[in-house]
Amino acid sequence: MKLRIIILSAFLFSSITSSAQFKIPQVLKEAANAIKPGSPSQIEIGDAIKEALEIGVSAGTDRLSLENGFLGNSAIKLLFPPEARKVEKALRGIGMNKACDDFILSLNRAAELAAKEAKPIFISAIKEMSVQDASNILLSDQKNAATSYFQRVTSKALAAKFNPIIQGSLDKTHAGKHWTDLSTAYNQIPLAGKVNTNLADYATQKAMEGLFLEIAQEELKIRENSGLRSSPLLKKVFGYADKNNNGVSFR
């Protein structure tokens, strides 16, 4: 349709201009070059990026919400907060290994419970991504460009929504009680010094990092394995990106 309009405009213009330098064949050539058959539109690119992220979010949250989803993954397993590592060391040194292990278990169980509740929050944020943002990241050299963008622009708002979910999960797994017991025992050690930490903020940050890592891995799979592009739209857009990884102008 665009090509027909350009061609028609060229002929109309030629009928009213007296310039001898105006060449119809040149106009037709430029018109043909302006449109690249088979290339995705910006809307298609935006929809494809969002679809890929939604697949990543769904797969990531489903996987991490299983028992041991966090605990059994060394890359994202929640440990003692950094400022509390000396607490763990001191308590294990006086034989409180089980209490420390119970705290770590409860912390990871809280993250696993929260992961399940996180899916609609993350997907809602994905839908807010603009078409222009999506087209800018499609051909990025970064293989996790969509996830990185999503993480950069949504983390603050997501954390605010995710934090209460984490807090509720910490209550369900009694992580707060375990931490109170541990900190109380630690504070009774002579000259140990007191340690304060916000468990909910710490667990929120670490759980989100784990979720983003899982989403990034799913995005990488879609970018690198054409067999995992589960819809015609993903096949079209990411296939086009495969062929044009040095940059392209979209219509």
Side-chain angles (χ1 to χ4, degrees), residues 70-71 115 140:
F70 275 89
L71 187 67
S140 171

Side-chain angles (χ1 to χ4, degrees), residues 43-54:
I43 291 177
E44 288 177 314
I45 292 168
D47 288 345
I49 291 295
K50 291 177 183 180
E51 183 178 338
L53 281 171
E54 287 191 28

Side-chain angles (χ1 to χ4, degrees), residues 11-18:
F11 277 111
L12 289 175
F13 185 73
S14 67
S15 66
I16 61 174
T17 184
S18 57

